[in-house]
């Protein structure tokens, strides 16, 4: 009896202090870099429901940093869109996501050092109406609030987006949601990221799948508060052409001159054809211009003479593709 009791007393701390995979770059980390050839597609549509700058202080209003278009396309190619306390982003894709071997998609946030982490729950839907959440776990101590610019140990987190440093995606495996009534894990049409409100006050807190409060930096009462969504990359989908990604190449786009002052020339390969929408955004997410274009010969030009000096994002889009490039204006 004493031997069994001693074992139980020893085992309980191990269970309560269980840890998950470490930060990106450390042995055993599950983080996936944006350059991985496992990614076959990226989100092409997003709807963002803005959250509060600070939950419980309505007078501060909602966040406003970034725009929905910044959540589209490849991670790292554009700024991010901030969700705010309790905000959400619902993304769609050209082809539905399916369950394959290992992770099926990954969510990218913009943590600058892998320790200051702003977290999000991840949900999926196969009909656009009924969403199901991945079972998240947070073992971070909740006896004291993580302050606005304090750090979190990634080893205490599982199935929470935002676990890794920027350009490293948090992977999600649809197999974990197998057998859920109302969900077809081989035809996921929507992915939703819901900001974790990191407060440990019971009236504001959000909880993991075991009912534990999720403690992350709070408050962060800024226009960029909450989860900063960069992108969602797809690993397995129902596009037959994407099964062998090793032979896939992205459209070649060259912007010149760099920096530009009056006109920006866009040179593109033969895969870019037909009618496109060209949108220009400032680095803080303001829309500067929108114009419909049609490729002529090997490209087209955009009038940028009214733009002030700075860094801008050109977004080219049609019904199938979203392409982004940064450019510089110098006066």
């Amino acid at each position: 009896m004493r031997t069994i009791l001693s074992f139980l007393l020893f085992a309980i701390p191990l269970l309560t202090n269980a840890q998950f995979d470490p930060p990106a770059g450390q042995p055993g980390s599950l983080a996936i870099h944006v350059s991985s050839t496992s990614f076959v597609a990226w989100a092409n549509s997003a709807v963002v429901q803005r959250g509060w700058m600070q939950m419980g202080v309505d007078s501060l209003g909602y966040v406003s940093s970034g725009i929905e278009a910044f959540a589209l396309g490849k991670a790292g190619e554009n700024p991010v869109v901030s969700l705010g306390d309790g905000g959400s982003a619902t993304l769609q894709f050209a082809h539905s996501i399916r369950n394959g071997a290992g992770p099926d998609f990954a969510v990218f946030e913009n943590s600058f050092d892998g320790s200051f982490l702003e977290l999000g729950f991840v949900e999926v839907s196969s009909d656009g109406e009924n969403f199901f959440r991945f079972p998240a776990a947070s073992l971070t101590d909740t006896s004291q609030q993580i302050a606005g610019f304090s750090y979190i140990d990634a080893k205490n987190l599982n199935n929470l987006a935002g676990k890794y440093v920027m350009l490293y995606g948090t992977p999600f495996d649809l197999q974990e949601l197998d057998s859920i009534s109302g969900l077809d894990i081989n035809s996921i049409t929507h992915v939703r990221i819901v900001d974790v409100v990191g407060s440990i006050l019971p009236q504001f807190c959000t909880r993991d799948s075991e009912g534990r409060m999720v403690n992350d930096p709070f408050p962060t009462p800024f226009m960029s508060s909450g989860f900063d969504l960069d992108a969602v990359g797809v690993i397995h989908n129902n596009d037959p052409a994407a099964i062998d990604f090793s032979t896939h190449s992205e459209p070649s786009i060259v912007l010149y001159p760099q920096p530009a002052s009056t006109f920006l020339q866009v040179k593109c390969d033969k895969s870019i054809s037909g009618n496109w929408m060209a949108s220009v955004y400032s680095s803080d997410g303001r829309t500067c211009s929108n114009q419909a274009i049609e490729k002529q010969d090997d490209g087209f030009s955009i009038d940028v003479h009214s733009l002030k000096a700075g860094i801008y994002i050109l977004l080219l889009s049609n019904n199938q593709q979203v392409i982004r490039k940064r450019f510089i204006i110098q006066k």
Side-chain angles (χ1 to χ4, degrees):
M1 178 66 71
R2 180 177 300 174
T3 301
I4 296 175
L5 180 60
S6 298
F7 172 78
L8 290 175
L9 291 174
F10 176 76
I12 289 173
L14 291 180
L15 293 174
T16 57
N17 291 300
Q19 291 186 323
F20 303 103
D21 70 294
Q26 295 187 16
S29 177
L30 301 178
I32 306 176
H33 192 265
V34 62
S35 63
S36 172
T37 56
S38 62
F39 291 115
V40 300
W42 301 84
N44 68 351
S45 173
V47 175
V48 172
Q49 182 67 48
R50 300 284 191 172
W52 300 101
M53 288 176 60
Q54 182 177 338
M55 184 67 74
V57 186
D58 295 2
S59 60
L60 292 178
Y62 298 100
V63 299
S64 61
S65 181
I67 57 175
E68 292 173 335
F70 288 170
L72 309 182
K74 190 174 182 179
E77 291 192 346
N78 48 275
V80 297
V81 56
S82 299
L83 303 187
D85 285 353
S88 67
T90 303
L91 301 105
Q92 292 182 262
F93 309 84
H95 302 278
S96 60
I97 305 172
R98 63 177 175 86
N99 181 40
D104 302 300
F105 65 93
V107 181
F108 291 78
E109 214 258 355
N110 74 335
S111 171
F112 55 87
D113 66 355
S115 296
F116 176 75
L117 306 177
E118 295 178 297
L119 306 172
F121 297 112
V122 175
E123 303 173 347
V124 295
S125 172
S126 54
D127 61 12
E129 296 182 5
N130 299 291
F131 284 81
F132 301 89
R133 180 170 293 185
F134 278 86
S138 173
L139 304 181
T140 304
D141 178 56
T142 57
S143 63
Q144 184 174 353
Q145 176 67 59
I146 300 229
F149 291 99
S150 295
Y151 298 135
I152 307 176
D153 186 350
K155 294 192 295 294
N156 289 325
L157 306 171
N158 188 53
N159 273 348
L160 283 163
K163 170 170 173 165
Y164 307 117
V165 69
M166 67 175 69
L167 300 184
Y168 283 88
T170 305
F172 292 86
D173 186 351
L174 290 169
Q175 187 63 40
E176 293 190 46
L177 304 180
D178 189 26
S179 301
I180 293 179
S181 177
L183 181 68
D184 182 357
I185 62 172
N186 287 305
S187 185
I188 298 301
T189 57
H190 297 72
V191 173
R192 176 174 291 167
I193 295 89
V194 181
D195 174 74
V196 164
V197 180
S199 172
I200 60 173
L201 294 175
Q203 65 268 38
F204 300 135
C205 73
T206 46
R207 298 179 182 271
D208 70 7
S209 60
E210 298 295 325
R212 294 174 291 245
M213 289 188 291
V214 183
N215 192 0
D216 81 353
F218 184 87
T220 54
F222 310 106
M223 291 297 183
S224 59
S225 175
F227 190 92
D228 298 310
L229 178 59
D230 187 355
V232 174
V234 179
I235 298 172
H236 299 120
N237 70 4
N238 289 307
D239 176 14
I243 293 176
D244 182 10
F245 192 64
S246 61
T247 61
H248 174 78
S249 60
E250 294 183 348
S252 173
I253 296 286
V254 177
L255 306 183
Y256 67 94
Q258 288 269 33
S261 59
T262 55
F263 284 90
L264 179 70
Q265 304 298 323
V266 183
K267 183 177 181 179
C268 44
D269 63 26
K270 294 181 180 179
S271 64
I272 302 296
S273 61
N275 297 316
W276 291 72
M277 176 63 69
S279 302
V280 174
Y281 299 96
S282 64
S283 58
D284 61 359
R286 291 180 296 105
T287 302
C288 300
S289 67
N290 287 296
Q291 64 181 47
I293 58 171
E294 183 175 1
K295 179 184 174 184
Q296 302 293 330
D297 297 327
D298 63 348
F300 50 89
S301 64
I302 298 175
D303 186 349
V304 295
H305 80 275
S306 63
L307 299 180
K308 297 179 180 179
I311 299 175
Y312 294 84
I313 297 94
L314 171 65
L315 186 149
L316 301 174
S317 61
N318 63 11
N319 292 332
Q320 287 78 39
Q321 291 178 293
V322 177
I323 302 169
R324 280 169 200 73
K325 290 289 183 179
R326 296 182 187 228
F327 66 93
I328 300 172
I329 295 293
Q330 181 176 296
K331 299 294 186 178

